[in-house]
Amino acid sequence: MGVKKSLRTVFRYIKLELLTSRPEFASGLEERLRAHLQKMLGQLSAPKIKLIPLNSDSENTYLLRCDSASFMRVRQALLFFYDKDYRLKLHKSSGTIKSLNEPELD
Amino acid sequence: MSRYFDFHVSFDWKGFSSEGYAKVFYPNIITGGNRYDAARINIAYVSSPEKPLPSRYDLVNFKGFAVNVDQLADVREKRRAVEVCVADVKQAIFSGRMHQARFFCNVLRAYKVPFVMTSGATTIYEVKSPREMAFIGEMLGFTQKQALLSLSDTASIILESKGWL
């Protein structure tokens, strides 16, 4: 029996770009982001995140998946992520991966 | 496509066009003994609401997001703008004074005072793209459009008044 539709977790995705001169550090990015979210939002209330590399676009572009309820808090916390090894640039956010792969219009 | 300006960057940043800015400025901070410099963007730092505003300035920064309605009305009458600096917002977040920043921005909206969002970056790690500035503006209670307009239209008005545009 499947999970009732209203009880399913709705995900949102934040497209972000890693601007770093040292690509070898990229593997530790997810851990750093988790630590930052825990610091900003509290250890107990920090939402679960998953970092998905976007190979089709470029090597340093990722999608950060989080549940829609905590989406705004995650994005606000990411705006204040300062790390000398990992410089992040946030792009647009969406409820679907497909729309994030489309080119951005400003 | 709009042209975006960042009025407060405190280091030599050559790659600003890749982030989406048309121009960034290294400002002259009017505080203490510093005077107005016609060749630069002048930001007056007001540390206390009781202190009067300087006679000439381009932007005014209220330290600690202290609200003085009379001074805000004065800024609006002179067709100048208030600086909302991301570095100050960051400091407010880490010291638990975010509510103060939000209240200050609510007053700006209520009194229709022009404002300009600036990054206040001292290193490359602190720079923000216009889109990120819009996200931060949203966090402060503005809409994304209002935040982007502050970077383009309000900034253009100030540059025009100086005869630079």
Side-chain angles (χ1 to χ4, degrees):
Chain A
M1 202 174 111
V3 181
K4 199 177 165 189
K5 196 179 178 185
S6 60
L7 294 176
R8 275 186 220 151
T9 309
V10 180
F11 291 117
R12 286 198 69 169
Y13 299 86
I14 301 167
K15 191 176 183 180
L16 54 93
E17 192 181 344
L18 178 63
L19 307 169
T20 179
S21 54
R22 305 171 101 172
E24 66 269 20
F25 285 138
S27 56
L29 177 62
E30 192 169 354
E31 297 308 313
R32 289 283 181 108
L33 289 178
R34 269 203 197 106
H36 175 70
L37 288 175
Q38 282 185 1
K39 188 182 154 199
M40 290 284 285
L41 307 174
Q43 197 137 21
L44 295 173
S45 56
K48 285 181 182 174
I49 56 162
K50 189 179 180 186
L51 203 64
I52 308 159
L54 257 183
N55 293 327
S56 59
D57 204 344
S58 84
E59 276 185 18
N60 288 335
T61 312
Y62 297 87
L63 288 180
L64 187 115
R65 192 186 78 178
C66 59
D67 61 291
S68 64
S70 56
F71 162 73
M72 284 299 277
R73 287 188 303 143
V74 170
R75 194 173 70 181
Q76 286 170 9
L78 286 183
L79 285 168
F80 295 95
F81 176 77
Y82 295 106
D83 196 307
K84 286 195 173 180
D85 297 330
Y86 307 92
R87 196 178 135 220
L88 292 186
K89 185 178 173 186
L90 297 195
H91 291 266
K92 63 181 178 180
S93 321
S94 171
T96 58
I97 291 179
K98 195 187 165 193
S99 68
L100 286 171
N101 283 327
E102 290 163 4
E104 289 190 33
L105 296 171
D106 269 325
Chain B
M1 194 178 159
S2 305
R3 299 177 74 197
Y4 299 114
F5 302 96
D6 191 345
F7 282 167
H8 194 163
V9 174
S10 306
F11 70 102
D12 186 16
W13 185 23
K14 292 194 172 65
F16 56 83
S17 54
S18 65
E19 292 282 344
Y21 287 105
K23 182 93 176 138
V24 295
F25 297 88
Y26 192 106
N28 174 41
I29 307 293
I30 304 175
T31 179
N34 277 11
R35 298 285 174 87
Y36 187 89
D37 185 350
R40 284 159 77 180
I41 296 285
N42 295 273
I43 303 175
Y45 270 44
V46 181
S47 53
S48 159
E50 287 83 37
K51 282 191 178 175
L53 292 173
S55 54
R56 293 178 73 194
Y57 57 86
D58 300 317
L59 292 178
V60 60
N61 183 320
F62 291 94
K63 291 295 277 177
F65 297 105
V67 176
N68 184 333
V69 179
D70 295 335
Q71 287 180 340
L72 288 176
D74 190 37
V75 172
R76 192 181 58 192
E77 271 175 33
K78 282 189 175 176
R79 294 178 63 80
R80 293 286 181 259
V82 173
E83 182 196 21
V84 179
C85 185
V86 172
D88 294 344
V89 175
K90 177 189 150 198
Q91 212 175 8
I93 287 176
F94 287 112
S95 57
R97 289 185 293 105
M98 190 53 198
H99 59 283
Q100 221 167 335
R102 281 187 67 94
F103 177 72
F104 181 79
C105 294
N106 285 345
V107 174
L108 289 186
R109 277 188 301 143
Y111 286 85
K112 294 190 172 67
V113 184
F115 70 95
V116 175
M117 289 192 72
T118 61
S119 67
T122 51
T123 61
I124 189 72
Y125 304 102
E126 293 173 12
V127 298
K128 298 281 174 212
S129 66
R131 183 182 287 276
E132 287 174 318
M133 293 287 238
F135 292 154
I136 294 172
E138 202 177 24
M139 198 174 123
L140 293 170
F142 302 115
T143 61
Q144 288 196 16
K145 196 177 175 187
Q146 279 175 328
L148 287 174
L149 281 176
S150 82
L151 295 173
S152 57
D153 288 15
T154 316
S156 300
I157 290 168
I158 289 169
L159 291 176
E160 273 171 19
S161 71
K162 289 178 79 72
W164 291 358
L165 208 65

